[in-house]
Structure formats: C-alpha cells, structure tokens
Amino acid sequence: MNTKMELDYQKAEEWGLFGQGARPAVIAGPCSAESERQVMETAQALRAAGVEVFRAGVWKPRTHPGSFEGVGTAGLPWLQRVRRELGMKVGTEVATGEHVREALEAGMDWLWVGARTSANPFAMQELAEALGGTEVPVLVKNPVNPDVELWLGALERLSRAGVRKLGVIHRGFSVYGETKYRNVPQWQLPIEVRRRCPDLLMLCDPSHIAGRREYVAEVAQQALDLGFDGLMIEAHIHPEKAWSDSSQQVSPCELKQLVEGLVVRAADTENGAYRANIDELRMQINGIDRELLDLLARRMEIAGEIGRYKHQNNIAILQPGRWEEVLERVFAYGREKGLGAEFLKRVFTAIHQASIDRQARVMREE
C-alpha cells in the first residue's frame, strides 16, 4: 500500500496568494486571454465581485491544429496591467520551459500546469528545470487519464527541482462516450492524493469537469463537501462569445452568485453531542468492516477450493455465464436494499477479478 508521499512543499497559507483565511480560495478568469479589453473588463467585473486571484491562458494547447491556441506572449502585458491597476494576483498556464521563462520575466504571481502537460514526464522535467528554485506558486492539474502516480510524479519532479509552493487542481478525467459531465470527476483519485499529501493545497476546476455552465455550481459544491480548499472557475465578461470553451464559462455576475450560494462545511467541531454520535457510528462502521473482511476472506478460500476442483477436472477458470449469473443476482438483491447497479458492478468486478487471481494461483501451485 502506498504511504504518505514525502514532498518538500510549503503550506498555502504561507504563500500570500489568497486572502488571509480565505475559504474557499477562489481563482477566476477567462479560459483564454483574447484581447486587452476583454481581459480588463473581465478582471474589473471579477474584482468587483470579490475575486482577488485572476487567471487567463495565453498559450492554449488544443486538440486540432487551426484552433485558437492563444495570443501567446502578447497577452502577458494585459495580465501585468490587471496586476498593476486592480491589485489582483495574476497567473497563466505554462507548458514549456520557454513559457516559464517568459511568464516569470513578466512577473506572474503564480502558474499552473495543464492536464495534457502533467501527463508527459518529459514535459514535466523540462518545466521542473525551468522552474527550479522559483518562489512562484505552481499548481498542477491532474493528467487527462486517471493515474494518481503520474500526477504525483509530476509534483515530485517539481519538488526535486526546489519548487516548494506546490498545489494541485482537480479537473476530472477524459472518458470515451457520452457522460453528464465533460470530464468524469472520479473523486477517489484526488482523495488519494490528499491522503498521501495531507497539507497540499487542493483546488477543484468545476468548469472543466462540468463542461456546461449549468453544472458548474453543483460540481463546485461537491468539491467543497469533500474538503477541497478552493476552486478555479472560468469566467468571461461575455461567455457566449468566448473564443474557447464558451459553454463552460460563467459571467462575473454568475460567478458571484455561485460562490455566495456555496455551503462551506467545517472540517470538525468540538460539539460534544456530535462527537459522541459520530464516534458511535464510526465504531459501528469499524465493526461492519471487520465482518466484511471476514466474509471476503472466506469467499477467497472458497474461490481457491473451486480453483483446485477445476484443475483436477481440467476446466477453464473463466466461466462467462457464471459471471453474468452473479451480476444478475447481485443487481436484483441490491435493488431491494437500495444499492445502485453501478456501485455494485464496481465492487463485484473487483471481487470477481480477485477470485480469478486466486484460482489461477491455486492452479499454478497444484
């Protein structure tokens, strides 16, 4: 089992990037810097809405050539103006060593690494070398594919290069086919990152998870319910006219309403009644977990016996018809107990695979 990861990082409250005790921490701004006017008008409206940390992409990695790939270095002076005139902390995405050098020369207060870049160890090493020893906070989005080790590896490269102001941004994972959201959250992955790096700043990008502005608020609330430290939300002065990702951006007014509508939950409480009740319920959970483990151990023992019997009779391990029969029975009983089919399929698929592995090991040893 992977243990807590030893990264040399500084707690976000020491960075001075967010307001004192701000929770949730909010970063907002357009997907892309399109023009000086668009950047300034958006920033002014966001500043009036209470946003202190501004984002805008000047270099935009796109799937197809010919798509708008950002204005490039020409957009950095626009961000400098936002910083100078509005007092906002400004940041942009970097994907190459040259991006880093130009962004740092322009005095960016913070930087982020996108999902396509964090998935590439060669690109991350180039960024790490360019960022070595910088005091600028660097936030790393999860890779496009659901891989915790790749995500942590990107952080490790930066940490080894001397970048101490590190954080992560969860923006969901790409998936083939139609889903409600543009990118599936798979919350268990950022939760695992939090387990391994407990004090690491963790933000959520509900814009990229949702893919549509009407879902941004619900994804943001889910993130806060899970204890995320804050949000990075795409906001544009005229979202419907945005040159990139127009469907997922909100207006500054919508952003203000969204943030004001969020419920921020406490990490804990000293309330005596709550502590007594929650401790009792957790003890019940612990007991049930032990029972589950006893039952799973017994199930694996039986799977091993089945493996020996199949070996003795020269029968193949995998029996597709049997697996379908198990699922059908599980789904039917699960419905009676109020358990969803997708949840049960994930659980029993893991159990089924473990049973196959046990049978295979028994056959090898016979």
Side-chain angles (χ1 to χ4, degrees), residues 332-351:
Y333 190 60
R335 279 194 298 272
E336 295 179 14
K337 298 297 181 180
L339 298 173
E342 188 58 37
F343 163 70
L344 293 172
K345 186 174 182 179
R346 288 199 303 270
V347 171
F348 276 85
T349 295
I351 293 173

Side-chain angles (χ1 to χ4, degrees), residues 280-295:
E280 170 60 27
L281 292 170
R282 284 171 175 166
M283 287 180 63
Q284 292 181 39
I285 287 287
N286 291 343
I288 292 170
D289 286 345
R290 285 193 294 272
E291 293 175 17
L292 285 172
L293 291 170
D294 288 340
L295 290 170

Side-chain angles (χ1 to χ4, degrees), residues 1-7 9 148-149 152-153 155-156 189 191-199:
M1 180 180 178
N2 292 311
T3 58
K4 292 180 180 178
M5 194 167 191
E6 295 301 325
L7 291 178
Y9 57 87
V148 167
E149 296 306 322
L152 291 172
L155 293 168
E156 189 176 6
L189 276 75
I191 287 171
E192 173 61 12
V193 171
R194 172 55 60 85
R195 186 188 72 81
R196 306 255 297 266
C197 305
D199 298 318

Side-chain angles (χ1 to χ4, degrees), residues 2 115-116 118-120 141-153 169-176 182-193 196 209 346:
N2 292 311
R116 299 169 192 260
S118 65
N120 185 334
K141 288 194 173 186
N142 61 265
V144 290
N145 50 311
D147 188 332
V148 167
E149 296 306 322
L150 198 57
W151 197 359
L152 291 172
I169 303 172
H170 176 48
R171 48 81 75 192
F173 302 93
S174 298
V175 64
Y176 181 76
R182 175 182 178 182
N183 293 296
V184 293
Q186 295 203 32
W187 298 109
Q188 70 273 19
L189 276 75
I191 287 171
E192 173 61 12
V193 171
R196 306 255 297 266
I209 291 177
R346 288 199 303 270

